[in-house]
Amino acid sequence: MASSSHASIAKLKVAGTWAGLLEVETEKWTVPMLREEIAKRSNMGTESINLIFAGKVLKDGTNEEKSSLSQLGIKNNSKILACRVSVEEGKTLKNELLADDERNRRLARIKAAVTALSKRHADGALPIEDFDIQLEDQSGNKVHFSETDRLAIMTGLMLHTSGKRFIRKQMFTEALEALTMGEEAFSLCNPKSIELVDNIPILQIDMVWCYFMLRDIAWIAVAGLRLKNAREGLERAHGKDSSRFRLLQAGRTSELALYLRLELLEGVVAYHSGQFDKSRKFLASAQEKFFQLQVPDEALSLVMSMGFGEGDAKRALRMSNQDIQSAVNFLVVEREKTEQKREDDIRRRNEIMEQKRYGVTPLKKAVDLQRLTEVVSIGFEKELAAEALRKNENDTQKALDDLTNPEANTALQRNIELRKRRRQQRATDATIEQLVSMGFERSRVIGCCPSWWLLRASHASTARTSQSRYHC
């Protein structure tokens, strides 16, 4: 017992408000305990101290508070930086971290609900696996958010997309369920981060559309409020009278169909609320937009003759006020953007697959491919360099230290071989289960078929349309 207790004692190198070696029991100590000890040695209050390890602020009041230092990756000779903050700043930081943790918990609950919803609709209407999104503004430039905001926006967009799929299938109850969860996901974002994004106003319009398709008059009051918020949101995103949108889209107007739906719904809500003059105004404006959306057959035929689809041609002509040359220019640019996006998506998917092959760091982060390229350019083998970065939390200097140290380099190679063997073992186990599910006895499969044959049999069986019999 004494030896195991002694093994958990580590010496931490602390710098900043207090400098020196601090002996701790990494299996028992938590972040609050470490903060209290360093604050005491610094003659400061705990709220005036920030602790940083491996480039990450150690948080109180979150799941990390319950984790031991060893679970956070802190071990013997780990370096801890103690930074001083004002008491008020410390309180603010703590409140922000608590709020961030609460947002993460709510996101986890929403994702669990998404999973439950997807099990009820196994037709692929809720794509929840390997979800990766590049967020862009209306001019096509990538937008960068905090990790929590990015996850919340991705979840909201995914649920909105699913809701629209249900609407197209006229499954309005299911659509409203998905859209409501999407609205909650968006609500977890920093309002300033999404005030120029028009997805949220469009989601509000889609929710009101579901209310009326379900013919539930009880939603009238809520519908009016949602439409008011949607109009204000579109004005923030597109500018007053769509001025910002037209500027970004080279003078083209925003899609009138969206505003037609908005004004049509506003007219219906005003009518059922007894505001008849207001209702007539909205419906008259919606009718005017409807006529503007009609595309002459001649113009449509001419644009389609240049190799564009009917839907794309109609949309381009509507956005260009029926100007054929402007519509064609728009479609050419859109086609180039689509092709570029397709290439970017393929590249990003390949990057994700490559990162999965290398595994994750002790803190569950992917290998940084940019740093990997830098290390490989020096002359190191790629897989070995990736393992060095993975082991050292993407710290380039520490990775180089391991790569140039013969003993550490040998350990890296052993880890790579061990991971390869584990992958092969998982593939072999999966193949055995596949053959057993086809009716073969497990003992015969394991006893008389070598691993290379199992792998080959797995590939062959997927190509067969009917069950075959194998003789070992």
Side-chain angles (χ1 to χ4, degrees):
M1 294 294 293
S3 61
S4 65
S5 173
H6 178 73
S8 65
I9 295 179
K11 292 183 179 181
L12 306 184
K13 299 176 181 178
V14 182
T17 58
W18 178 79
L21 290 176
L22 180 62
E23 289 191 352
V24 301
E25 292 186 70
T26 54
E27 297 291 339
K28 296 181 179 179
W29 278 50
T30 60
V31 172
M33 293 169 65
L34 179 63
R35 186 187 307 280
E36 184 178 356
E37 181 62 28
I38 293 178
K40 184 168 64 177
R41 294 178 183 233
S42 305
N43 295 318
M44 298 169 62
T46 54
E47 291 182 337
S48 301
I49 291 283
N50 259 356
L51 300 181
I52 300 174
F53 167 67
K56 178 183 175 185
V57 176
L58 299 177
K59 307 175 185 178
D60 292 355
T62 69
N63 291 332
E64 289 184 2
E65 184 178 19
K66 302 172 185 177
S67 302
S68 67
L69 297 184
S70 63
Q71 289 175 318
L72 297 175
I74 299 175
K75 54 189 177 182
N76 191 43
N77 290 326
S78 289
K79 296 178 182 178
I80 305 293
L81 178 62
C83 300
R84 179 173 186 165
V85 295
S86 67
V87 174
E88 287 304 313
E89 186 180 348
K91 289 180 179 177
T92 300
L93 178 64
K94 185 171 183 178
N95 290 337
E96 287 177 355
L97 294 174
L98 286 169
D100 194 54
D101 197 51
E102 173 61 22
R103 290 160 71 196
N104 287 329
R105 279 198 294 270
R106 289 177 65 188
L107 262 179
R109 179 173 56 78
I110 292 171
K111 287 180 180 178
V114 170
T115 303
L117 186 63
S118 67
K119 288 179 180 177
R120 300 207 305 268
H121 305 282
D123 58 352
L126 285 162
I128 59 174
E129 297 296 332
D130 293 328
F131 208 65
D132 184 68
I133 289 179
Q134 294 292 336
L135 300 168
E136 298 177 350
D137 60 21
Q138 291 148 346
S139 58
N141 297 319
K142 290 183 180 178
V143 181
H144 301 284
F145 299 99
S146 70
E147 184 62 18
T148 303
D149 282 349
R150 190 183 71 84
L151 289 173
I153 292 173
M154 284 172 57
T155 305
L157 291 175
M158 180 190 69
L159 286 162
H160 189 190
T161 300
S162 301
K164 288 190 286 189
R165 285 198 184 102
F166 286 131
I167 288 174
R168 285 195 292 271
K169 296 178 181 179
Q170 298 189 6
M171 300 168 64
F172 298 110
T173 300
E174 291 82 357
L176 196 54
E177 186 177 0
L179 293 172
T180 301
M181 287 192 291
E183 182 183 40
E184 184 176 358
F186 281 129
S187 73
L188 300 178
C189 303
N190 182 340
K192 290 184 178 180
S193 299
I194 56 173
E195 62 182 4
L196 296 181
V197 177
D198 63 5
N199 298 83
I200 300 170
I202 295 173
L203 181 143
Q204 299 269 358
I205 295 171
D206 287 335
M207 292 183 76
V208 177
W209 187 263
C210 290
Y211 296 159
F212 284 101
M213 296 308 293
L214 291 170
R215 303 180 188 280
D216 190 346
I217 201 72
W219 289 103
I220 284 293
V222 178
L225 181 60
R226 288 196 183 282
L227 293 175
K228 178 176 178 290
N229 292 338
R231 182 169 285 279
E232 291 173 354
L234 287 175
E235 186 169 309
R236 281 195 303 271
H238 294 173
K240 191 168 181 62
D241 298 324
S242 300
S243 56
R244 184 183 298 114
F245 192 96
R246 283 198 300 273
L247 180 64
L248 293 172
Q249 296 292 341
R252 298 182 180 89
T253 57
S254 57
E255 295 183 64
L256 292 177
L258 173 63
Y259 288 91
L260 186 153
R261 288 180 65 212
L262 173 61
E263 291 177 349
L264 179 62
L265 291 170
E266 286 175 326
V268 175
V269 168
Y271 177 83
H272 285 288
S273 302
Q275 300 173 310
F276 302 118
D277 290 340
K278 200 172 183 180
S279 176
R280 276 192 292 270
K281 178 183 175 184
F282 283 131
L283 293 176
S285 180
Q287 185 179 41
E288 181 183 345
K289 288 179 173 59
F290 175 77
F291 289 132
Q292 286 180 258
L293 287 170
Q294 305 312 302
V295 176
D297 291 340
E298 298 82 2
L300 178 61
S301 177
L302 186 57
V303 175
M304 289 178 62
S305 69
M306 299 180 189
F308 300 105
E310 182 179 354
D312 291 337
K314 281 185 177 179
R315 176 170 173 259
L317 285 166
R318 286 166 178 165
M319 291 188 69
S320 305
N321 290 322
Q322 321 303 336
D323 185 292
I324 293 175
Q325 186 59 53
S326 179
V328 171
N329 291 341
F330 172 78
L331 288 169
V332 169
V333 173
E334 285 290 294
R335 181 174 285 179
E336 291 173 353
K337 286 183 179 178
T338 301
E339 181 59 28
Q340 183 61 50
K341 185 176 183 301
R342 189 184 70 82
E343 293 176 2
D344 290 344
D345 287 346
I346 292 173
R347 178 183 54 77
R348 180 57 187 146
R349 279 198 298 271
N350 291 338
E351 287 178 351
I352 291 172
M353 293 304 297
E354 183 180 2
Q355 287 176 317
K356 285 183 177 180
R357 192 168 72 249
Y358 297 141
V360 295
T361 69
L363 294 180
K364 307 300 181 184
K365 294 180 181 179
V367 171
D368 188 316
L369 295 183
Q370 184 176 349
R371 296 189 181 188
L372 175 59
T373 301
E374 293 172 358
V375 175
V376 170
S377 68
I378 299 174
F380 293 102
E381 192 270 327
K382 193 170 189 179
E383 196 167 12
L384 193 62
E387 176 61 19
L389 286 168
R390 186 201 66 76
K391 173 179 174 289
N392 291 288
E393 290 295 338
N394 289 311
D395 187 312
T396 304
Q397 187 55 54
K398 289 182 180 178
L400 290 173
D401 291 343
D402 280 354
L403 289 167
T404 54
N405 182 306
E407 292 182 2
N409 190 299
T410 302
L412 293 175
Q413 294 182 49
R414 282 199 300 268
N415 288 340
I416 292 172
E417 289 302 317
L418 179 61
R419 192 160 59 247
K420 283 182 179 178
R421 285 199 296 271
R422 285 173 179 170
R423 277 202 300 265
Q424 291 171 351
Q425 185 61 49
R426 285 195 295 267
T428 301
D429 291 344
T431 305
I432 290 173
E433 294 303 322
Q434 184 180 6
L435 292 174
V436 169
S437 69
M438 294 169 63
F440 296 101
E441 293 182 10
R442 183 183 297 274
S443 58
R444 288 190 64 201
V445 172
I446 296 175
C448 66
C449 300
S451 297
W452 65 265
W453 186 91
L454 287 169
L455 291 171
R456 188 175 65 179
S458 172
H459 293 308
S461 65
T462 58
R464 296 175 184 266
T465 57
S466 60
Q467 181 174 326
S468 302
R469 185 168 183 81
Y470 291 87
H471 297 279
C472 300

